[in-house]
Amino acid sequence: MADNYSTFADLYDSLFDLDLYQAWAAFVRERSTACPMIDLAGGSGRLGVLLSQAGYQVTLIDLSEQMLGLAAKHAAENDVHLDLIQTDMTADWGIPDQFPLITSFADSLNYLVNKQQFAKALMQVYRHLRSGGRFLFDVITPYQVNVHYDNFMYNNDDDPEKIFMWSSFPGDEKNSVDHDLKFFIYDERLDAFKLVREVHHEQAFPLTDYTQMLKQAGFVNIQISADFGKQPVGSDTARAFFSAEKA
């Protein structure tokens, strides 16, 4: 898998809605007690910091060296400790331990481009969960991809020296989307704007497919909800939240 945040991890992190991390943290706290855990594809560590402050012992796994650098920075700023591991979620994580809790949020699993990759990631999750351990995660749904992201455009020029443009287009695969992300950063040395651009590809599957893949991996007690666990899923659910246990 490519490092999707290689050029603008800090810019991405600065734009993200911090209230969402509070909501994800509440979702986790409501379904677990403070324990050793893995935050898979934990990015800049915002969620890991919140959970550490709530008493969890967080091991954060991410592919991006730049994101892990931000995670270390945020942990130091908040006087908490995060164990940081750089690896691909579909490969051997290189961790001998098993944990009672593994989480993965913020579309992270939607970056797995096919069911084979998703199955590989699930195999690693199952391997590193204790018996009876819980896997909590979310994914954007085909409804989000095909309706909300259908030729979606968003421009943010609140900061005249840091202009952000986000455009989304249907991907080549069914239920997929490509996000064209552009930052225009003012460079005083050039007296001009510098373009920083990346394209991100996300893949969604029907919720029944996720359930089937979880069962095939050995998970039981699979529960699906919407709105951070507050509502049942429906045909117009944009983000689905899963809770599954290792048999």
Side-chain angles (χ1 to χ4, degrees), residues 231-246:
Q231 300 291 334
V233 295
S235 59
D236 59 351
T237 294
R239 181 180 297 277
F241 293 78
F242 283 79
S243 172
E245 295 178 5
K246 180 173 180 176

Side-chain angles (χ1 to χ4, degrees), residues 218-238:
F219 287 93
V220 297
N221 194 20
I222 300 166
Q223 301 174 14
I224 315 174
S225 59
D227 191 22
F228 294 88
K230 298 180 178 66
Q231 300 291 334
V233 295
S235 59
D236 59 351
T237 294

Side-chain angles (χ1 to χ4, degrees), residues 151-222:
N151 294 311
F152 170 84
M153 294 191 68
Y154 173 77
N155 298 327
N156 184 342
D157 58 0
D158 293 341
D159 183 347
E161 296 187 357
K162 188 187 299 182
I163 300 172
F164 173 59
M165 298 178 63
W166 170 11
S167 302
S168 297
F169 309 95
D172 292 335
E173 297 81 14
K174 183 179 179 180
N175 297 324
S176 70
V177 60
D178 291 320
H179 303 289
D180 187 2
L181 308 175
K182 301 186 186 82
F183 283 93
F184 298 87
I185 310 299
Y186 181 71
D187 189 330
E188 291 184 353
R189 296 170 301 175
L190 302 175
D191 190 24
F193 283 88
K194 179 175 63 175
L195 172 63
V196 181
R197 180 186 185 188
E198 288 191 353
V199 177
H200 292 209
H201 178 79
E202 290 191 282
Q203 178 70 53
F205 303 110
L207 299 187
T208 52
D209 289 9
Y210 289 110
T211 299
Q212 181 180 22
M213 288 187 284
L214 285 164
K215 289 179 178 178
Q216 289 174 344
F219 287 93
V220 297
N221 194 20
I222 300 166

Side-chain angles (χ1 to χ4, degrees), residues 43-82:
S44 66
R46 299 282 192 180
L47 177 60
V49 166
L50 292 175
L51 292 175
S52 293
Q53 290 172 334
Y56 292 78
Q57 299 87 55
V58 181
T59 296
L60 190 152
I61 293 176
D62 203 272
L63 179 63
S64 169
E65 180 180 357
Q66 289 77 13
M67 281 294 184
L68 291 175
L70 284 175
K73 174 186 173 184
H74 293 323
E77 290 171 345
N78 289 277
D79 196 25
V80 299
H81 175 74
L82 301 176

